[in-house]
Amino acid sequence: MTKSTWFDTSIEHALLTHKSPEDEHGYYVYQLDALKSHLATLQQQDVIKLWFAVKANPLSKIIQTLDSEGFNFDVASTGELNQVLAQGINPNRILNTGPAKSKKQLAAFVKQGVNTFVVESINQLNWLNEVMQEQETPTLTNKPTVLLRVQLQWDEGEKNPLGGNSLTPFGLSVAQWQNIHLDSYPALDVCGLHIFQWGNMLSNEKMFSLWSQMITPLTDLASSIGMTLEVLDLGGGLGIDYVGEGHALTWSKIIEDLAIIKAKAGVKELWLELGRFAVAECGYYVVPVVDRKINYGQEQLVLAAGINHLIRPAITDQPFPVQILRKDFSAEQQAMQSFDLHGPLCTSLDKLGHLSLPQDTAIGEKLVFGYCGAYGFTESMPFFLCHELAAEYVYQNGTLTQVRAAQPASSYMA
Ligand SMILES: *Cc1c(COP(=O)(O)O)cnc(C)c1O
C-alpha cells in the first residue's frame, strides 16, 4: 500500500490477514500505540489542561488510553458519564457540559461525585445551586467548580468565522449572563467561562485570531458580574484535514498562541476539550466492495456498509480519505480513477464520497478509510434497514484485539 499521510503502515499486515465472516459488513480498528504517543506529545506542555470530549469516541479502550496519558473527561450525557466511571476514572476528573441538563440529571451527576460543570442556562445555574443546598449533608467546603457557557455574536456584515448570527442552544449571550448575581449561588464556585462555537479549524492564524477576539468580551463579562475569572475553557474545534487540502494545525504553535491568550485573559487555568484532534487519526474503518457498475457514465462502487456505520461524510460533505487494502499496493504504479462510493441503505444520503481508487478495484476487495477514530461508530445511524452493527478492534503491540463483536439486527430489534 502506498504511504499516505493518514495511513499508519504498521497496521497493514494485521488488516490484510484479518479474516472474520462477521466483519464482512465493515469494522473499526483503533491503533492504540499511535494514539498513546500522539497524546503524550499533546501533554508535553504546561499551558493548558486537557480534557477529552467523550462524544468523539466513547470506546472503553480509547478512554483508558486517554486516562493513561493524563487526560480528563468531558461528558454530555448519563451514558457517557457511566462509561467513563466504568473505566475507573475518578469523578473529580469529569466535567459535565451540554444544553439539556435537567435538575434531576444534575442531582444524579453530583451524587456520582462530579464536581465540575459548564452551565448553559440560568435554569441550570439555579438548579445546580438548589441541588447542592438540598443535599442531605450539605458541604460548603466542596463547592462544585462552575463555568458559564457564553455564546458570542459579531455584527452582521463583519466577516465572522464564528458562525455570525446563527443561533445555537449552547450557552447564553453576554447580555443574559450579565443579569445574574453571583451572591445568589452560595453553594457554587462560579469561577470560569466556557466558549466553543466553531468546528474543524485548520489554520493556526485563524484560531489565534478567533481566540484573541473573545478575550475582551469575556473578561468584560466576568468583571461586570464580579467574577474572578480563574478558568477559561475554549472547548474543542481543532481540525483534521479530512479532504487533504494540505492544511494542518501545528501543535507547538497552538501552545505558543494559547500561552499569550492565557496571559491576556489573566486566568490561572486554560482548558481545552479535544475531540477529533485527540483521536481521529488513530482510527480506521474497513469495508468490502459488494458491487461495481457504471451509471450514466459514472463509476459506482457499492459497499457492504455506508452511513449506517459512518455517517459523517453525509452530514458534513467531507469524505474520509480512502485506500484499497492490497498487499504491496502503490498508488503511483497504479492507474487510478474516481468512484462514487455508496452504502447499502435505500436513500441517496448513503454516500461516503467521490474518491480515487485503482481502476481495477474488484468486488470482494476491502477499502480502508482513515481519520475514523472520531465521530465514527457512535455518530452513525446503524438501525436503518436492519443491518449489522460494526465490530470494533484495537491494535496494540502488534496484535488486533476485538473489543466489540459485530451484532446482527436481531440483537436490537424488538
Ligand atoms: C464536541 C465538543 C468538543 C470537541 O469538539 P472537536 O471539534 O471534536 O474537538 C469539545 N467541547 C464540547 C463542549 C463539545 O460539544
Side-chain angles (χ1 to χ4, degrees):
M1 193 176 283
T2 183
K3 274 214 179 76
S4 63
T5 48
W6 57 268
F7 190 73
D8 175 352
T9 48
S10 72
I11 63 162
E12 182 177 3
H13 180 72
L15 298 185
L16 279 165
T17 52
H18 178 65
K19 301 246 169 359
S20 159
E22 301 87 65
D23 295 337
E24 298 285 305
H25 309 290
Y27 64 97
Y28 282 90
V29 178
Y30 311 106
Q31 217 294 29
L32 293 188
D33 300 319
L35 174 60
K36 201 168 162 62
S37 72
H38 172 59
L39 299 174
T41 309
L42 301 183
Q43 290 287 21
Q44 279 162 21
Q45 44 84 24
D46 55 7
V47 176
I48 37 177
K49 174 165 169 171
L50 289 174
W51 305 75
F52 174 53
V54 172
K55 75 168 191 267
N57 191 332
L59 188 72
S60 52
K61 287 283 181 185
I62 295 283
I63 292 172
Q64 289 162 19
T65 307
L66 281 134
D67 175 36
S68 74
E69 289 301 325
F71 273 67
N72 302 291
F73 296 89
D74 169 23
V75 302
S77 71
T78 302
E80 287 185 354
L81 173 63
N82 291 339
Q83 175 70 347
V84 173
L85 291 174
Q87 312 316 314
I89 312 289
N90 189 316
N92 67 15
R93 289 173 52 210
I94 298 176
L95 154 71
N96 181 208
T97 58
K101 298 194 277 292
S102 63
K103 182 172 175 183
K104 197 170 161 195
Q105 185 188 310
L106 288 166
F109 274 51
V110 166
K111 201 166 173 205
Q112 284 172 284
V114 176
N115 203 33
T116 311
F117 293 86
V118 170
V119 300
E120 312 225 7
S121 71
I122 293 174
N123 285 330
Q124 287 187 5
L125 190 60
N126 288 327
W127 291 332
L128 186 58
N129 190 62
E130 288 164 19
V131 163
M132 295 311 293
Q133 289 178 331
E134 289 159 10
Q135 278 191 308
E136 278 167 30
T137 48
T139 63
L140 288 183
T141 49
N142 197 21
K143 294 183 188 184
T145 298
V146 175
L147 279 59
L148 310 178
R149 185 163 185 176
V150 179
Q151 187 175 147
L152 292 178
Q153 283 196 335
W154 266 248
D155 289 339
E156 211 144 20
E158 240 176 90
K159 202 167 154 40
N160 175 18
L162 280 182
N165 295 327
S166 77
L167 206 54
T168 72
F170 307 119
L172 278 176
S173 66
V174 165
Q176 286 290 324
W177 285 128
Q178 266 169 343
N179 296 326
I180 67 165
H181 295 281
L182 291 184
D183 299 349
S184 315
Y185 309 100
L188 308 178
D189 180 18
V190 184
C191 64
L193 297 174
H194 176 286
I195 182 158
F196 175 37
Q197 295 181 222
W198 64 97
N200 207 42
M201 300 291 294
L202 286 168
S203 152
N204 281 95
E205 290 71 29
K206 214 169 184 177
M207 285 224 87
F208 182 59
S209 153
L210 282 169
W211 285 330
S212 302
Q213 292 171 61
M214 289 165 189
I215 297 176
T216 306
L218 295 179
T219 51
D220 284 356
L221 168 62
S223 59
S224 83
I225 58 173
M227 176 204 291
T228 309
L229 187 59
E230 289 179 10
V231 180
L232 180 58
D233 182 341
L234 295 169
L238 276 63
I240 292 291
D241 187 13
Y242 293 106
V243 295
E245 293 169 298
H247 303 301
L249 293 172
T250 307
W251 181 248
S252 55
K253 183 78 173 98
I254 293 272
I255 297 303
E256 269 174 45
D257 290 347
L258 286 177
I260 297 169
I261 298 290
K262 191 177 179 181
K264 277 199 185 145
V267 288
K268 267 199 254 169
E269 294 189 21
L270 195 60
W271 298 356
L272 284 185
E273 309 127 15
L274 299 181
R276 78 195 71 215
F277 199 73
V279 296
E281 272 177 21
C282 80
Y284 301 88
Y285 175 70
V286 182
V287 65
V289 176
V290 175
D291 203 357
R292 175 177 175 167
K293 57 191 172 185
I294 300 176
N295 231 339
Y296 291 97
Q298 177 58 54
E299 288 273 9
Q300 298 175 319
L301 294 177
V302 185
L303 312 180
I307 62 173
N308 52 317
H309 286 176
L310 197 60
I311 203 174
R312 196 178 174 276
I315 56 181
T316 60
D317 233 0
Q318 289 171 337
F320 290 101
V322 72
Q323 287 189 183
I324 197 154
L325 194 58
R326 222 182 246 182
K327 196 167 169 5
D328 300 325
F329 175 75
S330 157
E332 285 77 46
Q333 292 160 19
Q334 191 75 36
M336 304 289 283
Q337 72 179 40
S338 291
F339 290 89
D340 276 346
L341 304 183
H342 295 279
L345 305 188
C346 303
T347 159
S348 57
L349 279 178
D350 194 4
K351 188 173 174 191
L352 296 185
H354 178 76
L355 295 161
S356 180
L357 283 162
Q359 265 175 14
D360 63 353
T361 296
I363 290 164
E365 285 198 286
K366 293 187 177 111
L367 306 185
V368 53
F369 290 86
Y371 297 140
C372 295
Y375 307 120
F377 182 86
T378 59
E379 198 186 58
S380 60
M381 46 181 290
F383 306 126
F384 199 36
L385 275 95
C386 305
H387 286 285
E388 299 73 13
L389 302 185
E392 292 186 286
Y393 288 80
V394 292
Y395 180 86
Q396 199 171 18
N397 298 324
T399 314
L400 204 58
T401 309
Q402 189 179 74
V403 182
R404 168 209 302 282
Q407 298 287 343
S410 58
S411 70
Y412 59 82
M413 296 304 294

